Amino acid sequence: AQSVTQLGSHVSVSEGALVLLRCNYSSSVPPYLFWYVQYPNQGLQLLLKYTTGATLVKGINGFEAEFKKSETSFHLTKPSAHMSDAAEYFCAVSPRGYQKVTFGTGTKLQVIP
Amino acid sequence: NAGVTQTPKFQVLKTGQSMTLQCAQDMNHNSMYWYRQDPGMGLRLIYYSASEGTTDKGEVPNGYNVSRLNKREFSLRLESAAPSQTSVYFCASSEPVTSVPEETQYFGPGTRLLVL
């Protein structure tokens, strides 16, 4: 069984401030972990993914996430928020590939000018 | 290269009506997926197709049927719509490359369905 918990359904940051979106997972096998972004009225776009190897994963738009097995976490960060980062972000886990992906409930990021 | 396209963008149905949601991809991907997105619940997999001619149930298949018409197209059918099927439906596709970790999934823009 696998599950994803995203802490905070809404997060607000000031423009230029650090973005930290939290994700904890549970998985009975070594997981694949994903972060997706969804802009209003659009489909999801893959930001980054962890499969194997280096635990710090860099993605698009300056985002990165670190896989911490001991903490079962995969938090998403960006050093400096931009207005264009306002969107909903989803963390997801799978045992392998995309056929058994479980999504979190999402975190809406608001960026305040 | 349009990626993943979905039609219609928006649909209103009455309870008991049927309809088919269409999805097509032009990336020559083998795998295609149907998800539904409901407020506060994230995305849930309805059905997927690992390759042309094969389909498998996902997490929430009840009330839906799918057809993998060819490699490009994967349709989702609601035979008798219910208000509980009011949702946003997303189609996606992916292609396993030589290394599974390199596989990337692409989503369509979604179909908003309202069942009255």
Side-chain angles (χ1 to χ4, degrees):
Chain A
Q2 59 187 24
S3 65
V4 174
T5 301
Q6 291 186 239
L7 299 176
S9 58
H10 291 82
V11 170
S12 294
V13 300
S14 298
E15 190 175 16
L18 171 72
V19 175
L20 171 61
L21 304 182
R22 299 180 186 273
C23 173
N24 288 90
Y25 71 92
S26 68
S27 176
S28 56
V29 299
Y32 283 16
L33 294 160
F34 310 85
W35 274 101
Y36 291 84
V37 60
Q38 185 179 32
Y39 298 101
N41 299 316
Q42 294 187 25
L44 275 69
Q45 180 182 10
L46 184 67
L47 269 180
L48 51 80
K49 62 182 177 183
Y50 167 80
T51 54
T52 59
T55 57
L56 182 63
V57 181
K58 294 186 184 299
I60 61 172
N61 302 339
F63 284 93
E64 62 182 36
E66 186 171 11
F67 170 57
K68 292 188 176 180
K69 184 178 178 181
S70 62
E71 299 177 7
T72 61
S73 69
F74 191 57
H75 301 330
L76 182 70
T77 61
K78 181 174 180 177
S80 176
H82 191 273
M83 296 300 294
S84 62
D85 295 327
E88 190 161 18
Y89 293 80
F90 292 91
C91 183
V93 63
S94 86
R96 182 179 175 89
Y98 294 98
Q99 294 177 2
K100 300 290 185 183
V101 177
T102 297
F103 286 84
T105 54
T107 297
K108 286 187 178 177
L109 176 66
Q110 180 186 22
V111 181
I112 303 167
Chain B
N1 188 342
V4 180
T5 57
Q6 293 181 236
T7 56
K9 286 185 170 56
F10 183 72
Q11 183 73 46
V12 180
L13 291 179
K14 294 181 179 178
T15 296
Q17 287 184 318
S18 63
M19 80 161 294
T20 299
L21 281 65
Q22 306 286 354
C23 173
Q25 51 91 8
D26 61 4
M27 295 173 282
N28 203 36
H29 288 171
N30 276 303
S31 299
M32 298 185 73
Y33 315 79
W34 276 106
Y35 296 90
R36 60 177 289 173
Q37 183 178 29
D38 301 294
M41 297 192 72
L43 272 75
R44 292 179 292 170
L45 182 65
I46 305 171
Y47 272 93
Y48 68 93
S49 170
S51 62
E52 185 179 353
T54 68
T55 61
D56 286 286
K57 295 179 180 180
E59 182 183 353
V60 288
N62 291 343
Y64 305 95
N65 287 301
V66 290
S67 295
R68 184 73 183 268
L69 304 169
N70 47 57
K71 193 171 184 179
R72 286 188 65 249
E73 299 172 290
F74 189 38
S75 63
L76 178 71
R77 182 160 179 85
L78 288 70
E79 291 292 351
S80 180
S84 61
Q85 295 178 304
T86 293
S87 188
V88 182
Y89 291 85
F90 288 99
C91 179
S93 71
S94 68
E95 175 63 22
V97 290
T98 55
S99 170
V100 171
E102 299 305 313
E103 182 179 357
T104 296
Q105 190 180 43
Y106 298 87
F107 282 80
T111 293
R112 294 179 181 276
L113 178 65
L114 174 61
V115 183
L116 301 174

